[in-house]
Amino acid sequence: MAGVRFEGVWKVFGSTPVVSNLSLDVEEGEFLVFVGPSGCGKTTSLRMLAGLDRPTYGRIWLGDRVVNNDPPGERDISMVFQSYALYPHMTVRRNLAFGPGVRREPRAQTRQRIEEVAETLGITSLLDRRPSELSGGQRQRVALGRALIRRPQLFLMDEPLSNLDAALRVQMRAELIRLHQLFEITTVYVTHDQVEAMTMGERIAVMNDGVLQQVDSPEALYENPAHLFVATFIGSPKMNTFSGTCTSHDASPTVRCLGTTFPLAPETPLRGDAPTDGPVIVGVRPVDVRWAREAPADCSVVIPARIDIVEPMGSETYVTVKAGDTTLMARFPGRSGVRSGETVEVAIDPKNVYLFDPKSNAALLDRSGLVAPSSTWTAPAEQHSLYGSSA
Ligand code: ATP
């Protein structure tokens, strides 16, 4: 088992940088997730770590050695990619036994590992079939099994659950986390699905356009995003954003927006380097725009709004409202009975307001006081509702 360090790593194809100056440490035994939109450089970063692509500049460390020039086979890494790459002429059992066979591991040990891994992945009944006799999801589980049969220094996983149906994906997420907790092998996992990232990662590295935007715990990314990109990428439904004006020269800073004035909450002070007065981008998550009659009394700012679209989800209702010229998504309770065209009041607690610099998109408020001090890693099912449901 080993930690990983990207040190000023660049990957340039032709004259286009697709990974720009990536510096990041993955602790020994950590489960780190790379997340970001399609084409942001996640897979390229993983391929460089695997030895399938060489960095154009910079160094990659595995444990205490630089591995830039080491071929993949010398890195003691197990990889699972979206494409399964199973041997078509071999049964599942032989596919699983292939790696240990090449490494000349004892046969009895391999047989036992195959039984364990097959049991964990629910593929025991498939061991004597060939890949052509399996569904896409079953093949993907076999591909996972091939990686899990080893105890390498490092696991690399690139969208390994993407071909599974929603229920199996949730089950496999929990299973992978359980296996990680059991073996504590350093794992770098790539996904474009922010819910998958939030529910699996001990820390998450958010990338956009080849640039690492922020690396932090799921809770910190959600509560205290450093940039507008992170704020709008993490959380489902997406954060509402609109323009406002900040006034901070007197004792009680405020932001004027949505036709009213919000006092800035004492828990979320302006960052020391934030410009004092002027235009800002205001962000509020849909879960924090509440129906005033259902909101707790400390939701002190109440705004009149007209209901546009009502999306009942069962236990809750997502409602698109117009507050003046601004369109907002709000979360109302299930069975709220509201209808399009109706006028209602929505309530926003000032401590749920985020502010960003309209030029740099950097966060202007220090919301770190809202992040639980010792964020513990909880099972996916428990975190699911906080960050929204999976795509
Ligand atoms: P996805 O979620 O769609 O897999 P990603 O974040 O993993 O996306 P990468 O596969 O790392 O993105 O690709 C990053 C960028 O690099 C993309 O614009 C891609 O087109 C480009 N790219 C990747 N490989 C090559 C290559 N061999 N030659 C030229 N450009 C490449």
Side-chain angles (χ1 to χ4, degrees):
M1 191 168 58
V4 168
R5 168 168 289 180
F6 289 90
E7 193 179 297
V9 170
W10 292 74
K11 183 68 189 176
V12 183
F13 287 116
S15 57
T16 311
V18 299
V19 174
S20 303
N21 200 18
L22 174 63
S23 290
L24 169 69
D25 285 346
V26 186
E27 303 296 327
E28 201 173 308
E30 186 177 17
F31 196 118
L32 180 120
V33 179
F34 273 107
V35 71
S38 181
C40 72
K42 311 178 293 288
T43 296
T44 306
S45 304
L46 203 70
R47 286 176 59 84
M48 289 192 284
L49 185 50
L52 301 171
D53 277 333
R54 276 183 74 168
T56 312
Y57 312 109
R59 297 197 288 184
I60 296 181
W61 296 74
L62 190 53
D64 56 4
R65 67 198 168 97
V66 174
V67 293
N68 284 39
N69 297 321
D70 291 3
E74 287 176 19
R75 297 190 184 198
D76 193 15
I77 285 172
S78 256
M79 292 179 265
V80 195
F81 290 100
Q82 202 173 341
S83 59
Y84 335 104
L86 301 178
Y87 295 109
H89 57 291
M90 293 184 190
T91 61
V92 169
R93 189 187 306 278
R94 286 189 57 210
N95 264 284
L96 293 175
F98 186 80
V102 168
R103 291 187 299 276
R104 298 181 183 283
E105 289 172 13
R107 285 194 184 171
Q109 177 190 304
T110 301
R111 267 199 299 276
Q112 192 195 334
R113 287 261 172 88
I114 289 175
E115 301 299 328
E116 285 167 10
V117 165
E119 172 80 28
T120 300
L121 297 173
I123 54 173
T124 304
S125 63
L126 309 175
L127 283 173
D128 295 318
R129 292 205 203 159
R130 289 199 163 76
S132 60
E133 297 164 327
L134 304 176
S135 71
Q138 289 168 335
R139 280 180 221 170
Q140 198 155 38
R141 279 185 280 159
V142 177
L144 264 174
R146 272 206 323 201
L148 297 177
I149 209 139
R150 291 184 58 202
R151 303 276 186 274
Q153 286 204 78
L154 181 63
F155 274 132
L156 302 183
M157 303 192 182
D158 191 351
E159 309 256 7
L161 309 183
S162 58
N163 290 340
L164 305 182
D165 65 37
L168 196 50
R169 205 157 63 214
V170 170
Q171 186 192 325
M172 288 300 301
R173 276 185 209 158
E175 206 46 64
L176 284 178
I177 291 173
R178 194 183 65 76
L179 288 168
H180 179 257
Q181 286 172 337
L182 203 59
F183 302 124
E184 295 186 323
I185 293 174
T186 315
T187 304
V188 182
Y189 187 103
V190 161
T191 179
H192 67 275
D193 178 347
Q194 60 93 20
V195 174
E196 194 158 295
M198 295 296 273
T199 52
M200 295 187 80
E202 286 171 291
R203 283 191 312 149
I204 301 173
V206 184
M207 290 189 80
N208 188 31
D209 240 352
V211 177
L212 178 63
Q213 303 287 323
Q214 186 172 357
V215 53
D216 230 322
S217 68
E219 295 82 358
L221 290 179
Y222 186 84
E223 287 295 355
N224 194 27
H227 296 277
L228 181 62
F229 174 81
V230 176
T232 51
F233 190 77
I234 299 290
S236 174
K238 196 174 158 181
M239 178 184 277
N240 298 293
T241 55
F242 42 90
S243 52
T245 307
C246 190
T247 304
S248 57
H249 53 257
D250 53 20
S252 313
T254 58
V255 60
R256 177 128 197 104
C257 59
L258 302 174
T260 186
T261 301
F262 283 80
L264 293 189
E267 300 93 322
T268 61
L270 280 163
R271 287 183 196 269
D273 54 352
T276 43
D277 292 307
V280 288
I281 297 172
V282 185
V284 185
R285 297 192 185 279
V287 293
D288 297 324
V289 183
R290 315 276 300 275
W291 196 10
R293 72 160 79 159
E294 296 284 332
D298 64 353
C299 282
S300 52
V301 180
V302 171
I303 300 152
R306 195 173 52 78
I307 294 188
D308 196 3
I309 300 167
V310 179
E311 295 174 80
M313 310 285 288
S315 62
E316 59 200 14
T317 308
Y318 282 102
V319 182
T320 306
V321 301
K322 276 267 192 197
D325 292 337
T326 307
T327 302
L328 293 176
M329 184 173 271
R331 186 174 73 173
F332 280 27
R335 301 197 196 103
S336 61
V338 293
R339 291 180 190 282
S340 178
E342 203 176 306
T343 301
V344 291
E345 285 184 323
V346 294
I348 299 173
D349 184 333
K351 85 169 186 299
N352 294 326
V353 165
Y354 298 64
L355 297 184
F356 303 93
D357 185 316
K359 290 202 187 87
S360 66
N361 288 340
L364 297 174
L365 300 180
D366 176 1
R367 299 176 48 84
S368 57
L370 299 181
V371 181
S374 60
S375 307
T376 47
W377 204 25
T378 50
E382 291 162 44
Q383 288 193 350
H384 206 245
S385 60
L386 178 56
Y387 306 117
S389 54
S390 197

